[in-house]
Amino acid sequence: KFALDQGFETYRLKAWTVDQELRLAADWASAHREEASFLFVHLYAAHSDFGILPYEAEGVTRATVAEKFGVGNYGCAGEVCASRRLMAINYQAVQPLEREREVTRWLYDRGVESLDRDLGRFFDELRRAGLWDETLVVVTGDHGEAFGEHGYFLHTTPHEETLRVPLLVKWPASSRRAGLQTTRFSTALDLAPTILAHFGLPADDLPGHDLARQSGRGARLMLSKDAVRVDDLKLVLATPEFPRALYDLALDPLEQRNLLPEREADAARLEEIRRLAIAAARQRM
């Protein structure tokens, strides 16, 4: 559907649990241990779904929510359940419960914990197979999750609760790159150049930079559908849901203080940077 199978020798799409997916991944990695290989595993946990609870986790049920929060039969408003319920809250078709934010955040955290355990077992399998020390492992996410910080749930907002994602890079034991740290933010565009550079492959024609290299003093740029960020200054473009806004993330990481219209010149500068970056990207295509 999204052409994600391009370039892969083997591509499998399975409606399996995380544990099943990672067992298959560990078996595949072990079977290809004698050759250079690239394995991409896309997991949907922790993620809002369309069952009963918006976020699923091992050992968590509606009874668990009722016991902990005193909220019976959580997850449905009539026939509208899970993610559909949260979307209905976003568009004011359903009124949120008094403890809605607390419950959803707790459920999401339990989902993250379940995923963390599953990944730990997967990494243990790589160790048992003798693959851990020699393997480059990257763990990241495609979006964060909102819990009403700006009036919305799920992952539709252009704010940091949606755009900030985890990124873990485990270098092979023989690499001198292990242990490098930076306080500068990175983006998903940095992943491909990082992986290619590690294996000595060219990546100069790609946007982003190798995370293992010491960053220069130039500004860091982040683009998303409705926002642009340069270092700590971020502009949220006007959308039907949100007004145009400028934030200084160093001073206001939760994006509560809109600096417009006092700093309109800064906003205009970020919009021009965004326009030029998009034009440059189109020229590469």
Side-chain angles (χ1 to χ4, degrees):
K1 180 179 179 180
F2 298 109
L4 293 177
D5 59 334
Q6 295 180 89
F8 288 96
E9 293 181 5
T10 302
Y11 182 85
R12 299 183 183 184
L13 182 62
K14 300 286 188 182
W16 285 0
T17 65
V18 171
D19 180 64
Q20 290 171 325
E21 292 277 11
L22 291 176
R23 286 176 184 270
L24 175 62
D27 289 344
W28 190 95
S30 183
H32 293 79
R33 61 187 307 143
E34 300 301 328
E35 55 189 314
S37 59
F38 173 79
L39 173 63
F40 173 74
V41 184
H42 182 193
L43 305 171
Y44 280 95
H47 197 278
S48 56
D49 61 22
F50 296 94
I52 299 297
L53 295 176
Y55 307 99
E56 301 291 341
E58 184 179 340
V60 176
T61 65
R62 300 170 90 180
T64 313
V65 176
E67 180 180 355
K68 183 171 181 62
F69 296 98
V71 178
N73 298 320
Y74 179 75
C76 296
E79 298 299 316
V80 181
C81 303
S83 288
R84 290 188 178 91
R85 170 188 166 80
L86 297 182
M87 284 189 285
I89 292 174
N90 285 348
Y91 294 102
Q92 302 178 355
V94 170
Q95 289 299 310
L97 301 175
E98 183 178 349
R99 304 186 72 180
E100 193 85 45
R101 293 178 60 179
E102 188 180 357
V103 173
T104 52
R105 182 179 289 278
W106 184 84
L107 287 171
Y108 185 74
D109 287 348
R110 302 294 79 73
V112 171
E113 288 175 354
S114 291
L115 175 61
D116 184 68
R117 286 192 295 270
D118 288 330
L119 285 174
R121 287 191 287 265
F122 172 59
F123 296 154
D124 286 341
E125 289 292 330
L126 295 182
R127 290 186 180 94
R128 279 190 285 270
L131 295 170
W132 179 254
D133 286 343
E134 64 190 58
T135 302
L136 172 66
V137 179
V138 179
V139 180
T140 190
D142 58 341
H143 59 74
E145 202 76 351
F147 299 99
E149 294 90 342
H150 291 88
Y152 285 81
F153 291 86
L154 300 172
H155 40 270
T156 60
T157 80
H159 298 96
E160 292 299 283
E161 56 264 26
T162 298
L163 298 183
R164 287 183 69 89
V165 298
L167 173 60
L168 309 173
V169 179
K170 197 286 297 181
W171 303 101
S174 60
S175 173
R176 289 180 293 180
R177 299 177 172 188
L180 290 177
Q181 298 183 21
T182 178
T183 58
R184 305 188 74 188
F185 71 86
S186 58
T187 80
L189 293 177
D190 298 326
L191 295 182
T194 298
I195 295 169
L196 292 170
H198 175 73
F199 291 101
L201 299 172
D204 293 340
D205 60 333
L206 294 176
H209 75 286
D210 177 8
L211 294 173
R213 297 176 58 186
Q214 294 294 333
S215 299
R217 295 184 179 181
R220 290 290 291 132
L221 172 66
M222 181 280 295
L223 293 178
S224 69
K225 177 175 175 287
D226 296 314
V228 54
R229 174 181 174 181
V230 176
D231 290 334
D232 289 323
L233 202 59
K234 176 180 172 184
L235 177 68
V236 172
L237 305 179
T239 69
E241 295 84 11
F242 300 102
R244 187 166 172 266
L246 182 71
Y247 301 105
D248 184 335
L249 297 179
L251 302 176
D252 180 24
L254 299 182
E255 296 167 294
Q256 297 298 307
R257 181 169 176 253
N258 185 356
L259 300 177
L260 295 177
E262 292 85 356
R263 295 179 62 176
E264 180 59 43
D266 285 326
R269 177 173 62 87
L270 263 60
E271 284 188 302
E272 178 64 8
I273 290 173
R274 178 179 183 270
R275 184 189 69 79
L276 293 173
I278 291 174
R282 285 174 175 161
Q283 286 184 344
R284 294 191 187 101
M285 298 174 64

